[in-house]
């Protein structure tokens, strides 16, 4: 069955009162952006719902693209027919037949926008219901919990029928929640945290620290590849890579071993907060979850968070690893995340990092290094890449990749 349009229902945004217009406008923009590869279709974002006229574009591909767009509650692929009862009857019957399994129940649910149409909603429900009952053996009506639900909408420009409701991604349209940075490692957690931030409408810029020659080109490409996967949910993402070698080497040389990790993290966050401010973003997201590793105790978070007043947001803070992994698999980042290229944080990790670092000592030991100079040089070495959904960065590692997957 080839669909002629998709009727999209808004999620939470319908409750947002005066911001509603902005939300609808942003969602329209985001939907147009993901549907960019389909030049013939038309997107109309209206007050109550959004309509995508397919105009012969590949309906399945469009449906898949829409599933990733935040701000969509659900959507109904629909078939448009002329506004005459015969055409409507035929299409309704065809839809029921396609889904019919022995003993199934059905329901017709009609809405009428065109008040001049010859029949009212009750009459339409009855006519179509009778027609299906006479033509499909063994079927019966169940208005409460039907196996097959046919929606009929009589609008000014035609009658639209649908039988399938597809769950959307929920959340809020990306761009309505402001702009923030994300500290992206190559691990499992930070890509999931990125997804959660985007889901609340936040436009994300990625910050990734790398330490050549201790970290490989593959580790950097892996972070970029993860960004390319996440860009499917938000449109293009700016990927900011920050050289961290000098900072780490200096810390390793000057700071007592128990505080290596804490001071490294403080420097990371300082630099991330400075980049965030320069870019007029208003928060830093991380993939930290309480209790996962040494740096993720409350004391540790306090000792690290001390370097900035910028909001540090941790969408995964109270989630279990199993819950995080489940999301990572769903959003398509898990297989990349488990590729074993070393992150800059793991290479200088002491055998016994302090799980309960002391704030005063952290400040004192940080005084042993030239914080401002190191920060400045790291920021001077920044490179920015604009990453589009589907961009490929792992090609040169094809062999490694094939072996590992
Ligand atoms: P992840 O799975 O996200 O790597 P993790 O459980 O391995 O998290 P850590 O490695 O301690 O935990 O990192 C905690 C957080 O610090 C990460 O979620 C990420 O936000 C940030 N982070 C770690 N390494 C980097 C890096 N190289 N560049 C940018 N941010 C990083
Ligand atoms: Mg990690």
């Amino acid at each position: 069955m080839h669909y002629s349009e998709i009727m999209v229902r808004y999620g939470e945004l319908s409750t947002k009162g005066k911001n509603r217009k902005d939300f609808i406008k942003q969602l329209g923009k985001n939907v147009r952006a993901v549907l960019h590869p389909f030049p013939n279709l038309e997107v109309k974002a209206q007050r109550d719902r959004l309509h995508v006229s397919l105009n012969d574009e590949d309906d399945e591909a469009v449906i898949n693209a829409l599933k990733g767009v935040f701000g969509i509650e659900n959507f109904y692929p629909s078939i448009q027919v002329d506004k005459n009862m015969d055409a409507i009857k035929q299409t309704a019957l065809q839809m029921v037949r396609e889904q019919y399994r022995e003993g199934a129940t059905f329901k017709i649910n009609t809405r009428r926008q065109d008040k001049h149409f010859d029949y009212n909603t009750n009459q339409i429900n009855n006519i179509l219901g009778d027609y299906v009952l006479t033509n499909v053996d063994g079927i019966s009506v169940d208005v409460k919990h039907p196996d097959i639900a046919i929606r009929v909408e009589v609008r000014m420009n035609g009658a639209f029928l649908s039988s399938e409701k597809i769950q959307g991604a929920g959340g809020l349209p990306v761009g309505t929640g402001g702009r923030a940075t994300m500290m992206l490692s190559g691990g499992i957690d930070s890509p999931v945290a990125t997804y959660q931030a985007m889901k609340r409408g936040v436009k994300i810029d990625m910050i990734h620290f790398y330490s050549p020659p201790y970290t490989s080109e593959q580790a950097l490409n892996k972070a970029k590849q993860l960004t390319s996967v996440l860009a499917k949910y938000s449109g293009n993402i700016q990927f900011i890579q920050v050289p961290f070698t000098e900072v780490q080497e200096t810390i390793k040389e000057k700071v007592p071993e128990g505080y290596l990790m804490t001071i490294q993290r403080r420097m990371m966050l300082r630099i991330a907060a400075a980049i965030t401010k320069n870019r007029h973003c208003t928060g830093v997201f991380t993939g930290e979850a309480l209790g996962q590793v040494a740096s993720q105790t409350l004391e540790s978070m306090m000792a690290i968070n001390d370097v900035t007043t910028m909001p540090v947001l941790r969408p995964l803070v109270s989630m279990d690893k199993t819950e995080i992994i489940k999301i990572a698999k769903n959003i398509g980042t898990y297989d990349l995340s488990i590729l074993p290229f070393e992150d800059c944080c793991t290479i200088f990790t002491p055998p016994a990092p302090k799980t309960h670092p002391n704030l005063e000592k952290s400040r004192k030991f940080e005084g042993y290094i030239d914080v401002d100079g190191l920060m400045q040089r790291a920021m001077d070495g920044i490179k920015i890449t604009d990453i589009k959904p589907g961009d490929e960065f792992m090609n040169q590692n094809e062999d490694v990749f094939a072996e590992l997957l």
Side-chain angles (χ1 to χ4, degrees), residues 271-284:
I271 295 167
I275 295 171
T276 306
K277 193 159 169 242
N278 286 348
R279 299 175 70 82
H280 307 290
C281 294
T282 41
V284 182

Side-chain angles (χ1 to χ4, degrees), residues 90-381:
Q90 293 313 323
T91 308
L93 180 62
Q94 194 193 344
M95 281 184 161
V96 170
R97 281 197 169 132
E98 263 181 28
Q99 289 192 26
Y100 184 70
R101 304 278 172 280
E102 213 179 313
T105 58
F106 82 107
K107 174 192 179 178
I108 308 280
N109 184 359
T110 306
R111 290 168 54 130
R112 193 180 63 150
Q113 221 175 52
D114 177 1
K115 303 293 179 205
H116 298 294
F117 188 63
D118 295 344
Y119 307 90
N120 67 27
T121 52
N122 274 337
Q123 289 168 324
I124 299 171
N125 285 340
N126 289 335
I127 294 172
L128 296 180
D130 285 344
Y131 191 67
V132 169
L133 285 170
T134 348
N135 286 285
V136 183
D137 282 345
I139 200 163
S140 59
V141 174
D142 181 344
V143 288
K144 285 227 173 81
H145 305 288
D147 301 314
I148 305 166
I150 305 292
R151 285 175 58 97
V152 181
E153 283 194 26
V154 183
R155 294 187 216 148
M156 306 315 278
N157 59 332
F160 294 78
L161 290 91
S162 58
S163 59
E164 197 188 356
K165 169 166 142 182
I166 299 173
Q167 205 51 42
L172 306 170
V174 173
T176 58
R179 192 172 185 122
T181 56
M182 174 78 213
M183 293 177 66
L184 182 82
S185 70
I188 295 170
D189 302 328
S190 41
V192 174
T194 309
Y195 179 83
Q196 302 290 77
M198 289 170 170
K199 188 167 183 187
R200 298 313 295 168
V202 181
K203 178 84 184 152
I204 290 289
D205 292 347
M206 294 296 194
I207 299 178
H208 177 72
F209 293 89
Y210 69 119
S211 295
Y214 306 105
T215 58
S216 63
E217 188 74 18
Q218 282 126 310
L220 182 62
N221 284 334
K222 174 180 165 184
K224 288 185 181 168
Q225 193 64 45
L226 283 165
T227 303
S228 150
V229 172
L230 289 160
K232 279 199 293 200
Y233 304 100
S234 77
N236 291 17
I237 298 176
Q238 303 262 294
F239 180 91
I240 305 159
Q241 62 191 74
V242 188
F244 204 52
T245 315
E246 192 198 354
V247 177
Q248 287 192 296
E249 284 178 341
T250 310
I251 292 172
K252 171 106 174 128
E253 192 191 316
K254 304 265 167 76
V255 171
E257 198 173 76
Y259 277 78
L260 285 182
M261 192 264 314
T262 308
I263 307 302
Q264 278 182 58
R265 293 298 173 142
R266 283 172 65 98
M267 284 303 287
M268 265 195 185
L269 185 56
R270 264 182 206 286
I271 295 167
I275 295 171
T276 306
K277 193 159 169 242
N278 286 348
R279 299 175 70 82
H280 307 290
C281 294
T282 41
V284 182
F285 280 85
T286 80
E288 289 163 304
L290 260 182
Q292 257 201 27
V293 289
S295 61
Q296 298 177 18
T297 62
L298 277 177
E299 289 91 340
S300 208
M301 283 182 194
M302 184 174 77
I304 295 163
N305 222 146
D306 178 52
V307 301
T308 183
T309 53
M310 181 71 74
V312 177
L313 301 142
R314 303 174 174 92
L316 312 185
V317 74
S318 62
M319 284 170 77
D320 296 344
K321 195 78 186 186
T322 46
E323 296 174 73
I324 297 170
I325 287 174
K326 199 167 149 204
I327 300 176
K329 287 183 175 164
N330 277 337
I331 64 175
T333 55
Y334 183 76
D335 287 343
L336 277 168
S337 288
I338 57 173
L339 294 176
F341 307 130
E342 264 195 303
D343 187 60
C344 68
C345 290
T346 39
I347 49 174
F348 288 116
T349 307
K354 283 249 181 300
T355 48
H356 304 285
N358 174 286
L359 181 56
E360 293 309 323
K361 281 190 189 158
S362 305
R363 288 176 180 164
K364 182 176 126 197
F365 295 140
E366 197 179 59
Y368 296 176
I369 61 171
D370 169 21
V371 171
D372 293 342
L374 286 168
M375 246 181 102
Q376 192 53 53
R377 288 189 293 281
M379 308 249 313
D380 289 344

